[in-house]
Amino acid sequence: LAVDLFKLVDRDQKGALSIYDLERLLINHKRSGVRSLTTDIELLIALYDKTGSKRITLCDFEAIVSE
């Protein structure tokens, strides 16, 4: 399940979710809100990027999905 979801978001198949991948995901699913899209993306990365690369790897993503 996690790998399939990851592949849907990682359109370039780089093996990590970048800010741009997450931006695409949030744009497609976010309709309104008070925080900016950039703030939402930075928050997601800060919460789940375990290596400090400012990207979410498959390993990071699997941990998110399994929570």
Side-chain angles (χ1 to χ4, degrees):
L1 176 65
V3 173
D4 294 331
L5 290 171
F6 187 88
K7 286 179 181 179
L8 286 174
V9 180
D10 183 22
R11 291 185 182 177
D12 300 340
Q13 298 180 348
K14 300 175 303 293
L17 303 181
S18 68
I19 289 172
Y20 303 108
D21 295 323
L22 294 172
E23 180 181 45
R24 255 194 322 269
L25 175 67
L26 290 174
I27 285 172
N28 290 334
H29 291 90
K30 184 176 177 134
R31 299 293 175 226
S32 64
V34 293
R35 291 188 310 227
S36 74
L37 190 58
T38 302
T39 302
D40 289 340
I41 294 167
E42 288 171 346
L43 179 61
L44 281 172
I45 290 177
L47 286 171
Y48 296 108
D49 172 24
K50 303 302 180 196
T51 62
S53 65
K54 295 189 179 184
R55 302 169 114 199
I56 296 176
T57 64
L58 176 56
C59 185
D60 298 330
F61 189 79
E62 286 177 323
I64 296 167
V65 173
S66 68
E67 287 184 349

